[in-house]
Amino acid sequence: MREIFRLIRLRTLLFAIFTLYAMRYFVIRPILAVNDFSLQLSDVSFTLLVVAVCCLISGAYVINDYFDTRIDRIAGVKEVVVGRHISRRNAITLHFILNSMAVLIAFYLSMAVGIWKIAVLFMLVSGLLWFYSSEYKRYFLVGNVFVAFMVALIPLSVLVFEIPVLNIKYADILTSTHTDFMYMFRWVGGFSCFLFVNALLYEMNKDLYTLEGDRENGIQTLAVRSGMTVARGVIALIAGICVVSVWLLYYTVFRGSDPVLFYFAGLSLFYLLYIGLILTKERRRSGELAVIRLLMVGGIAFSLLLNRFFCSLF
């Protein structure tokens, strides 16, 4: 059982669950409440959505480890599970079960909200994750950007299923006021952008420590193409842009709020710590990646502070 939890990345699943619930209850619900609206997707349906997303993520990790067995053995940065603790055949079976569950749940929810085509997105994502693991990751930067994009879809998945039922419930009001619920995409999309950039940093950082395995297997990462020095410099530059973006957001949206000021100051310090770690010559994989994980959790946790601002913004 421990090997299975390691294979499906339990820590990542917990983060995905936290993200989904944070978007629903600390971003979407408060925005709706300001306008005397309420969530329409039932708690049971939302729980099923969470299960479907977690199954999709788990399946992606299983198939990725299935194809990366040789790379992981050469790199030696983590224990190889597939082929050692879990047979390759069982790994493929587990991948099929997880993806089937995700797609079936998505079809059920899609029919429930009246837009069956939403389930096709789950099928598309499932297929793309397979091709990413088997082929796309070999292309220069494509793998990094693809994974970051998939991570960015996690917060948006809440809106994809919530907005259709909101439109049905409040159709008369929306028609008379000539409005819609698409404005919520700005806020949830902001968290998606944050996750995209930080997931990109995380993936590019991991590539620094699988250099030999990637080179041996023809995977064209930034570190393989340009060397460690350039790769570290690019990662540090992206992290620096994140710091600047944090303060631009503060001065354009949250200026004058002391809680946000202190919160953003803390995020900035973690980014600066990360930049310092990434630019040092010592190999500190666990430290660098731990900081990025904390930043991602901290960025999503910022949703807990948003409730006080929605009354003045909407």
Side-chain angles (χ1 to χ4, degrees):
M1 184 61 70
R2 186 168 63 91
E3 285 74 20
I4 292 179
F5 284 147
R6 185 183 304 154
L7 183 62
I8 65 175
R9 308 301 198 279
L10 181 59
R11 180 171 55 193
T12 302
L13 295 182
L14 292 175
F15 174 72
I17 293 170
F18 169 61
T19 300
L20 291 165
Y21 275 92
M23 293 303 101
R24 176 174 168 87
Y25 293 107
F26 298 117
V27 179
I28 298 173
R29 184 170 68 176
I31 291 176
L32 292 173
V34 170
N35 297 294
D36 294 324
F37 297 137
S38 60
L39 294 168
Q40 294 303 305
L41 191 69
S42 69
D43 291 338
V44 173
S45 294
F46 180 72
T47 300
L48 287 174
L49 172 60
V50 173
V51 172
V53 171
C54 287
C55 285
L56 209 56
I57 294 171
S58 299
Y61 275 119
V62 171
I63 198 62
N64 189 63
D65 280 12
Y66 176 87
F67 284 110
D68 275 3
T69 300
R70 186 164 180 262
I71 296 174
D72 293 337
R73 283 175 178 168
I74 296 173
V77 296
K78 68 177 183 179
E79 184 179 354
V80 177
V81 177
V82 176
R84 183 169 295 176
H85 300 290
I86 298 176
S87 70
R88 294 175 66 81
R89 184 174 182 177
N90 286 340
I92 285 292
T93 302
L94 179 60
H95 170 263
F96 175 78
I97 293 172
L98 289 169
N99 279 272
S100 297
M101 288 178 60
V103 172
L104 288 173
I105 293 173
F107 265 108
Y108 169 78
L109 294 176
S110 298
M111 297 301 291
V113 302
I115 305 179
W116 64 268
K117 294 179 181 179
I118 297 177
V120 178
L121 295 176
F122 274 70
M123 296 179 63
L124 179 62
V125 169
S126 176
L128 287 174
L129 288 169
W130 173 285
F131 285 111
Y132 156 78
S133 299
S134 62
E135 186 65 27
Y136 296 159
K137 66 163 59 178
R138 299 181 182 278
Y139 302 125
F140 181 59
L141 292 181
V142 172
N144 297 143
V145 173
F146 178 82
V147 172
F149 180 73
M150 290 294 107
V151 174
L153 291 180
I154 295 175
L156 293 175
S157 64
V158 182
L159 280 180
V160 167
F161 284 96
E162 185 68 48
I163 285 183
V165 285
L166 285 170
N167 288 336
I168 294 172
K169 174 67 175 180
Y170 299 109
D172 293 340
I173 297 176
L174 297 178
T175 301
S176 62
T177 58
H178 303 288
T179 57
D180 54 42
F181 292 104
M182 299 305 289
Y183 61 89
M184 291 192 293
F185 272 102
R186 286 185 300 172
W187 289 94
V188 178
F191 286 97
S192 290
C193 290
F194 173 83
L195 287 183
F196 175 85
V197 175
N198 284 272
L200 182 62
L201 284 174
Y202 187 86
E203 291 300 312
M204 293 174 70
N205 198 157
K206 283 201 307 182
D207 290 342
L208 299 179
Y209 301 97
T210 57
L211 178 63
E212 296 303 323
D214 290 337
R215 182 182 288 126
E216 183 74 17
N217 287 271
I219 298 178
Q220 299 298 308
T221 64
L222 181 62
V224 170
R225 276 283 192 91
S226 304
M228 294 285 283
T229 301
V230 172
R232 286 183 178 274
V234 171
I235 293 172
L237 176 62
I238 296 174
I241 293 174
C242 289
V243 176
V244 174
S245 300
V246 163
W247 290 107
L248 284 176
L249 179 63
Y250 174 76
Y251 283 109
T252 55
V253 179
F254 302 105
R255 189 173 184 176
S257 170
D258 289 338
V260 176
L261 175 64
F262 289 118
Y263 201 96
F264 282 6
L267 286 179
S268 299
L269 287 175
F270 272 97
Y271 274 119
L272 293 176
L273 172 61
Y274 176 72
I275 292 172
L277 289 173
I278 206 69
L279 291 179
T280 56
K281 294 183 178 180
E282 292 81 4
R283 296 170 67 87
R284 299 179 180 177
R285 177 177 184 268
S286 59
E288 295 165 7
L289 297 183
V291 173
I292 283 294
R293 292 190 194 104
L294 287 173
L295 280 166
M296 294 175 76
V297 172
I300 297 300
F302 177 66
S303 60
L304 278 68
L305 293 179
L306 282 179
N307 187 40
R308 61 163 52 198
F309 296 100
F310 289 143
C311 290
S312 60
L313 291 173
F314 293 102

